[in-house]
Amino acid sequence: MAWNRPDWLPRALAALLVLSLLAPVFGWAAGQVGYAEPLENAAEKTGATEHATAVGTALFPDYGVPGLGGATGTFVSAVVGTALTLLLGAGIGRLLGADTDGRQ
């Protein structure tokens, strides 16, 4: 059975590639303006960080790859995270029986 590629797929993949390439710029800009995750801000304001204990390690802690530099780690994290999300979405779509053009 041949797979018919939807017309929107190349444009969507190009947009994801551009956003992945820009991920290090977004990370740098967040550092420049002092951005912090809202949940971390709430934890600090309520004193919850004083009682926090690590329960495990993240695949990409702080949106980076341990051992790689800031921009490189952020880029790799963006590419791998995007690919995993696309694969998961495609797998769920297949399980639900969605056709390539959105019809069931």
Side-chain angles (χ1 to χ4, degrees):
M1 177 177 173
W3 181 61
N4 294 327
R5 184 180 70 202
D7 293 338
W8 53 264
L9 185 61
R11 291 187 308 276
L13 292 176
L16 289 172
L17 177 63
V18 168
L19 288 173
S20 294
L21 290 171
L22 289 174
V25 175
F26 295 143
W28 173 82
Q32 294 300 306
V33 299
Y35 175 79
E37 293 287 335
L39 189 56
E40 291 177 11
N41 293 339
E44 287 178 11
K45 286 183 181 179
T46 61
T49 54
E50 298 169 11
H51 306 290
T53 57
V55 294
T57 58
L59 184 59
F60 299 115
D62 294 326
Y63 306 105
V65 178
L68 293 180
T72 304
T74 303
F75 173 71
V76 171
S77 174
V79 170
V80 172
T82 300
L84 289 174
T85 302
L86 287 173
L87 288 172
L88 182 65
I92 290 171
R94 286 194 181 267
L95 287 174
L96 294 177
D99 214 357
T100 56
D101 61 355
R103 293 179 289 175
Q104 294 206 10

